[in-house]
Amino acid sequence: MLRHPSLRRRIVLPFIVLVLFIGVVGIAVVSAQVGGSAEGAADNSLVQNSLRTNDRLAALENDRLQQLRAAADTAGIATATARSDGVAAERLLGPIVGNAQPEHLVLRVLNLAGRQLVALHRNGATVEAFADGAGYAGQAAVRHAMAGDRDSLGDKYLFLSNETPPMLYWVAPIWTDTLSPTVVGAALMGEALPEIVQTIPGTSSDVVAFFDPFGKLLAGSLTGVPSLSTDVRNAVTQKTPVRIVTAWQSHSYRLLVNDWTMRGNDLGYVGVAVTASDLSGSLNAIRLVLVALFGAIALGTILIGLALADRITRPIDRLVASMARVSAGDYSRRVEVESADEIGHLAQSFNAMTAALEAQIRAREEAYFRNLEALARVIDARDPYTFEHSARVEAVSQELAEGMGLPTSDLVVLRRAGLLHDIGKIGVADAILGKKGPLNDEEWAAIRRHPAIGFEMLKDVPFLQSSLDPIRHHHERWDGEGYPDKLKGTAISQLARIVTVADAFDAMTSDRPYRKSFSFEFAARAIESESGRQFDPAVVAAFMARKATIFARLEEMGKKPAPHASDIRLDEAA
């Protein structure tokens, strides 16, 4: 069946374009919405983490100040400090540190000279770092406390040490309990920055990091956190945090960086982060689902489009194929009408047109054939001995074809070939056709040219094309000794072999100028005797099987069998 890809494309292409447009735009819009929501959720998580961090630092400061106030106000600590009695200070402050949280909390006491009297852990172990106190006494926060200074937040101060790990210290003066209190030293309550990081609540994937003023990492809940760039540090203000996306340990993170200020001291920067890998993974998963959904919808839509295109174009294909068959000469071709739409109406119009055309062609062919048939009868009439010969050859050929089980189309071909097989005798002189004595070689040559003459006369007639071969070859022999082309065996067409037997039988049973007709039985035996030599054995077998019917058919046509028989060459009889 013919196909029309351009028409199919015009039908299916809008479906594909529409699906692609909807799919691409839909995925983009949904991805943007989901991505915006996911990013908003991530930013909200960052803000929540930042608020939790600030709340934790505020609570931490409140706890440390309470512990520091309890240590500085402990009875007897001022006297022990004034006397530089470290043993007494350790005895007085030991319970405070032992009951304090967290585990690595450190309490230090310095006298006015900056000498460290005691350094206590929660477990009571003495801390030897900066044992002389010089490393702490030099801090501005310690100097303010020992000077008894006060600011808007009171007499408590804070600083970040450069120890390993970094420690965050809150400092309070130790006052005498006299009527005119004086500062006799300072108490320092410190906690390791990494420990502070671990106490900030959040999920396992959240990250908290502290950076110094130069952006260097001081402590973080995740190792490998990179330093802050100059651009990021310059962009951070007290009121303006900075959001960035960065990668740590092969993972992508969204980081919110704030300034880190406690009790008026600019300590550096604090950053909170959430993993962006989960966000990217979620977005990718959503996109994958959307693509899969879009692919399924697209496939279904395209299949529907193809089915629709096939439904529309299939009748057109059939119509075009039928038109091609009609153009090739098959005027019986019809198209099945499947619908009542425009295409169905076109199919009905085509069927009506071909029916009318077929009727006209058949009428014209029949009229043309009748003319040729009349011409053949005229030719038969030139020879009174062979009058109606062509009609009898056509009748016997029909009987043989039916006996051999040939299709109806072959019967039509044989009808035309039988009636017109001797039309070439129009080119043979009457003197030769009616000569009463034997023919000489030249006359035999003229007779033997009539199949070729008939072929040339009819070769340009379209509806006789299938009948041309029997017309040209009805005098060929099975053994190859016939004329005009010396064909042999199955090289001779089956229909030509049938006409050969029919022609020979009627010739033998007809009067000739140089002899009388033979009886039907004698002619039949002569046909049978030439099986495999002059005639096709299969055709001879069919003839013998239907000879009674053939005899009766010829008698109905007015031919009377001769009562006598004599021997004669069959080629001369023809």
Side-chain angles (χ1 to χ4, degrees):
M1 183 176 292
L2 297 177
R3 295 293 179 187
H4 301 278
S6 59
L7 180 58
R8 288 175 178 270
R9 275 198 301 270
R10 287 198 296 271
I11 296 173
V12 176
L13 188 59
F15 285 90
I16 297 176
V17 172
L18 180 62
V19 168
L20 289 177
F21 175 77
I22 294 175
V24 171
V25 173
I27 289 176
V29 170
V30 174
S31 296
Q33 291 288 340
V34 174
S37 299
E39 289 182 357
D43 289 341
N44 183 63
S45 178
L46 284 175
V47 172
Q48 293 298 324
N49 288 351
S50 179
L51 292 175
R52 280 198 300 269
T53 300
N54 291 330
D55 290 344
R56 175 55 185 156
L57 290 176
L60 176 71
E61 182 172 64
N62 183 62
D63 291 342
R64 298 301 166 263
L65 289 176
Q66 288 182 6
Q67 294 167 338
L68 184 61
R69 189 176 295 111
D73 294 341
T74 298
I77 190 63
T79 301
T81 303
R83 294 177 180 177
S84 299
D85 187 352
V87 175
E90 181 177 349
R91 177 175 51 80
L92 292 170
L93 298 177
I96 294 177
V97 176
N99 295 324
Q101 294 289 341
E103 181 179 352
H104 296 97
L105 195 66
V106 176
L107 176 60
R108 301 177 187 275
V109 176
L110 304 182
N111 61 16
L112 282 177
R115 178 173 175 268
Q116 180 173 275
L117 301 181
V118 65
L120 298 175
H121 273 296
R122 173 186 166 186
N123 58 10
T126 300
V127 178
E128 300 299 333
F130 298 106
D132 59 0
Y136 304 103
Q139 294 287 341
V142 176
R143 292 198 304 270
H144 283 299
M146 288 187 176
D149 294 337
R150 290 180 179 273
D151 57 19
S152 60
L153 299 176
D155 62 353
K156 309 296 189 295
Y157 295 90
L158 176 143
F159 71 92
L160 180 65
S161 76
N162 58 356
E163 301 172 62
T164 303
M167 298 285 291
L168 190 61
Y169 284 98
W170 287 262
V171 184
I174 300 177
W175 299 88
T176 62
D177 56 358
T178 60
L179 292 177
S180 299
T182 59
V183 177
V184 294
L188 287 73
M189 184 68 72
E191 185 174 358
L193 196 57
E195 188 173 55
I196 294 175
V197 170
Q198 299 302 324
T199 63
I200 296 176
T203 65
S204 60
S205 61
D206 294 337
V207 178
V208 178
F210 291 93
F211 304 88
D212 67 14
F214 302 101
K216 180 181 178 182
L217 179 68
L218 296 175
S221 59
L222 182 69
T223 59
V225 178
S227 301
L228 299 179
S229 67
T230 302
D231 292 339
V232 172
R233 299 198 310 271
N234 291 338
V236 176
T237 66
Q238 289 185 350
K239 295 183 179 180
T240 308
V242 174
R243 292 178 178 86
I244 60 173
V245 177
T246 183
W248 307 332
Q249 298 182 346
S250 302
H251 293 283
S252 179
Y253 287 87
R254 298 173 67 86
L255 176 65
L256 180 67
V257 181
N258 290 278
D259 68 314
W260 180 22
T261 303
M262 297 183 71
R263 300 192 70 80
N265 294 293
D266 186 7
L267 302 179
Y269 305 92
V270 60
V272 293
V274 293
T275 178
S277 299
D278 293 342
L279 175 61
S280 299
S282 299
L283 289 176
N284 291 334
I286 292 172
R287 289 192 184 100
L288 183 61
V289 172
L290 289 174
V291 169
L293 180 61
F294 162 70
I297 294 174
L299 180 60
T301 304
I302 291 173
L303 289 177
I304 292 173
L306 288 173
L308 179 60
D310 185 69
R311 181 177 179 83
I312 294 174
T313 59
R314 185 170 58 249
I316 298 176
D317 290 338
R318 292 175 180 172
L319 184 60
V320 171
S322 297
M323 293 175 66
R325 293 285 296 274
V326 170
S327 298
D330 182 8
Y331 302 108
S332 63
R333 186 71 174 183
R334 299 293 184 271
V335 178
E336 182 180 355
V337 180
E338 297 180 344
S339 62
D341 55 14
E342 290 83 353
I343 296 177
H345 179 69
L346 182 62
Q348 289 177 338
S349 299
F350 173 82
N351 290 340
M353 179 192 69
T354 53
L357 183 61
E358 182 182 21
Q360 293 175 5
I361 295 297
R362 285 183 176 176
R364 187 180 66 182
E365 289 181 353
E366 189 65 25
Y368 189 34
F369 182 75
R370 291 301 179 190
N371 291 334
L372 292 176
E373 184 180 19
L375 179 60
R377 293 184 185 279
V378 169
I379 294 170
D380 284 348
R382 293 172 62 197
D383 184 358
Y385 295 99
T386 60
F387 183 70
E388 298 290 342
H389 167 69
S390 297
R392 293 192 294 271
V393 169
E394 179 263 333
V396 174
S397 297
Q398 294 278 321
E399 291 292 340
L400 292 175
E402 291 179 3
M404 297 176 70
L406 299 187
T408 304
S409 58
D410 286 344
L411 298 179
V412 174
V413 172
L414 286 172
R415 174 174 177 258
R416 295 170 178 175
L419 290 173
L420 301 176
H421 75 285
D422 275 344
I423 195 171
K425 287 184 177 180
I426 196 171
V428 180
D430 289 341
I432 297 176
L433 292 176
K435 186 177 180 179
K436 296 185 180 298
L439 301 177
N440 58 36
D441 291 342
E442 183 178 351
E443 291 168 338
W444 266 114
I447 285 292
R448 288 173 176 168
R449 282 196 296 270
H450 82 273
I453 294 173
F455 176 85
E456 292 297 325
M457 288 175 60
L458 303 176
K459 67 179 182 180
D460 295 324
V461 180
F463 73 93
L464 291 178
Q465 294 301 305
S466 56
S467 299
L468 292 177
D469 185 86
I471 291 172
R472 182 180 181 92
H473 297 136
H474 68 277
H475 279 296
E476 299 289 353
R477 290 173 55 100
W478 185 257
D479 58 11
E481 296 300 321
Y483 60 87
D485 299 318
K486 296 291 184 180
L487 300 182
K488 181 178 181 180
T490 56
I492 308 168
S493 70
Q494 185 180 46
L495 299 185
R497 286 176 259 153
I498 290 174
V499 175
T500 299
V501 172
D503 181 47
F505 179 76
D506 189 69
M508 284 188 288
T509 56
S510 300
D511 289 333
R512 304 305 292 268
Y514 49 86
R515 64 157 174 83
K516 291 294 185 179
S517 63
F518 305 131
S519 68
F520 288 174
E521 286 294 341
F522 175 82
R525 288 196 300 272
I527 292 290
E528 186 177 25
S529 68
E530 287 296 315
S531 176
R533 288 193 294 271
Q534 183 175 352
F535 306 118
D536 177 4
V539 179
V540 173
F543 179 88
M544 298 305 295
R546 293 179 68 89
K547 70 176 184 177
T549 303
I550 293 173
F551 294 170
R553 178 80 175 271
L554 292 179
E555 289 181 5
E556 289 175 1
M557 296 178 70
K559 188 168 189 175
K560 301 299 181 180
H564 62 278
S566 62
D567 193 10
I568 191 171
R569 286 178 54 193
L570 291 180
D571 56 346
E572 293 178 355

